Structure formats: structure tokens, C-alpha cells
């Protein structure tokens, strides 16, 4: 059921982005509301180790400048946790507000901030006994992530985005893990497909 939901979600996003591109092309000059879909990759430090985070964003652009973006992100590589016999799990999603500053026809600076929620967890090693010490294994977190990105128009419907952000989290409530272990500078790369 979970796999079917993911497939349906991706299909919905694809149809939505295609419709936005078609509408913006037909109505050029009549309004300046466009949108995009963007798979992304982040590189960051989590609990003292390098983490790789994959994400997917859907954005709405007003007047070619003001941007509202919904995103979700999840850690995909193994990062050790302070709890023996487990790995760290990190996932979060949220809404970004941003402003696009053109430096020419093909290059732009995007300043944005994401506000979101997520979860930090100790993923259990199933060869170990099931939580014998009764410690809490997951925690809901609040996330704020301001960022700065350089965006390059490759074609009319494809933009490459390179940048950095700083992830600030609150409410980490796990044994031997603090907010500071999840906070950190992040290098970002995204491929944006849509109408700009």
C-alpha cells in the first residue's frame, strides 16, 4: 500500500507540473504564475558523520520572483547513532518561502527559508533484542532551514540549482542525542523541471 501511495503521488506531481507548463506557455503575457518539480540531493553532517539526504519539491512561482515550495526529505545512507545496535533515521518536510533575484537572463540567486516538521529516530537492528532498555526510539522535531542558491537556466523548462543552507532543529528528545547533533550546514543540488 505504501509503494502504491508513493507511485500515485509521483504521478500526481508529474501531471500537475505538465499542466502548469502547458498553461503558462498558452497564457504567456496574460499572467505570471508558473511552477516546477525538483528532485534534490543534500550533503550534511549528522551526529558527526556525512549524511546524504534525498528530497522532492513542488514549487509555485509568482511574477517570476516570489516562490512558495513544498518539500520532503529523507536520509538515505547509514549514519551511526549513539544507541548501540542502531542507525540514525532523519526525515522532514515543510514549506519554503523564497525570493528570486535575476543576475541576467540565465543566472539567478534564490534566497529562501524552509519551515517544517520531521522525525529523528534510532532505527532498530533486528538482530538485537527489541528495545530491552525501554528508551524512546523516535522524536518529532521542528525544522527551520534558511538557504542561498545559485540557479542556472539550462533550457526554458530546466534549471540547475546549487547552494547551501543551514538546518536548525528543535525538540530532539532522544537519549545521548541533542539538537546540535542534527543541526548543520548543508550543500544542496536540485534539478528543477517546469516553467520559469
Amino acid at each position: 500500500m505504501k509503494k502504491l501511495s508513493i507511485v500515485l503521488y509521483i504521478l500526481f506531481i508529474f501531471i500537475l507540473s505538465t499542466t502548469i507548463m502547458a498553461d503558462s506557455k498558452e497564457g504567456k503575457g496574460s499572467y505570471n504564475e508558473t511552477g516546477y518539480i525538483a528532485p534534490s540531493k543534500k550533503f550534511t553532517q549528522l551526529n558527526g558523520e556525512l549524511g546524504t539526504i534525498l528530497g522532492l519539491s513542488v514549487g509555485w512561482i509568482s511574477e517570476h520572483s516570489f516562490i512558495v515550495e513544498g518539500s520532503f526529505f529523507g536520509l538515505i545512507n547509514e549514519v551511526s547513532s549513539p544507541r548501540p545496535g542502531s542507525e540514525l533515521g532523519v526525515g522532514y518536510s515543510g514549506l519554503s518561502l523564497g525570493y528570486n533575484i535575476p543576475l541576467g537572463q540565465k543566472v539567478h540567486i534564490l534566497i529562501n527559508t524552509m519551515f517544517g516538521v520531521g522525525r529523528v529516530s534510532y532505527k532498530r537492528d533486528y538482530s538485537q533484542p527489541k528495545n530491552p532498555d525501554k528508551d524512546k526510539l523516535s522524536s518529532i522535531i521542528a525544522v527551520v532551514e534558511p538557504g542561498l542558491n545559485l540557479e542556472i537556466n539550462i533550457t526554458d523548462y530546466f534549471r540547475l540549482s546549487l547552494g547551501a543552507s543551514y538546518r536548525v532543529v528543535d525538540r530532539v528528545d532522544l537519549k545521548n542525542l541533542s539538537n546540535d547533533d542534527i543541526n548543520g550546514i548543508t550543500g544542496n543540488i536540485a534539478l528543477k523541471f517546469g516553467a520559469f
Side-chain angles (χ1 to χ4, degrees):
M1 186 68 181
K2 188 176 179 182
K3 287 182 181 178
L4 179 61
S5 298
I6 292 170
V7 170
L8 289 174
Y9 178 76
I10 291 171
L11 184 61
F12 170 75
I13 297 302
F14 176 77
I15 292 169
L16 178 65
S17 63
T18 304
T19 303
I20 289 170
M21 284 191 292
D23 286 350
S24 65
K25 191 172 182 181
E26 286 173 13
K28 221 163 193 175
S30 60
Y31 67 96
N32 290 315
E33 312 297 322
T34 58
Y36 61 87
I37 182 171
S40 63
K41 193 178 233 185
K42 295 174 176 274
F43 301 96
T44 187
Q45 196 169 53
L46 296 163
N47 193 36
E49 295 184 22
L50 181 64
T52 302
I53 295 174
L54 286 186
L56 185 66
S57 304
V58 177
W60 169 73
I61 307 171
S62 178
E63 300 298 327
H64 303 288
S65 299
F66 181 69
I67 296 170
V68 178
E69 183 180 87
S71 308
F72 64 89
F73 303 98
L75 179 66
I76 60 165
N77 68 315
E78 294 181 5
V79 173
S80 300
S81 84
R83 186 175 188 272
S86 69
E87 295 171 7
L88 194 64
V90 178
Y92 58 99
S93 60
L95 190 69
S96 294
L97 302 176
Y99 192 77
N100 190 29
I101 304 168
L103 299 179
Q105 287 192 333
K106 293 193 175 289
V107 180
H108 312 265
I109 294 289
L110 173 63
I111 301 167
N112 68 328
T113 301
M114 190 196 82
F115 304 90
V117 295
R119 180 184 297 272
V120 176
S121 61
Y122 293 155
K123 296 191 289 186
R124 185 163 76 91
D125 179 351
Y126 286 93
S127 66
Q128 302 293 320
K130 185 178 178 182
N131 198 17
D133 46 12
K134 304 298 181 188
D135 288 337
K136 192 174 180 182
L137 296 181
S138 69
S139 177
I140 301 296
I141 57 171
V143 183
V144 177
E145 191 169 347
L148 183 66
N149 299 279
L150 177 69
E151 299 196 337
I152 303 162
N153 288 9
I154 307 300
T155 71
D156 288 344
Y157 298 111
F158 173 51
R159 189 177 277 185
L160 174 66
S161 179
L162 303 167
S165 56
Y166 190 83
R167 183 182 54 261
V168 180
V169 303
D170 192 25
R171 301 179 182 271
V172 173
D173 184 23
L174 294 175
K175 188 176 180 180
N176 300 323
L177 196 72
S178 69
N179 294 337
D180 291 337
D181 295 318
I182 307 300
N183 292 343
I185 295 172
T186 301
N188 307 310
I189 181 168
L191 306 176
K192 295 187 171 184
F193 301 93
F196 304 102

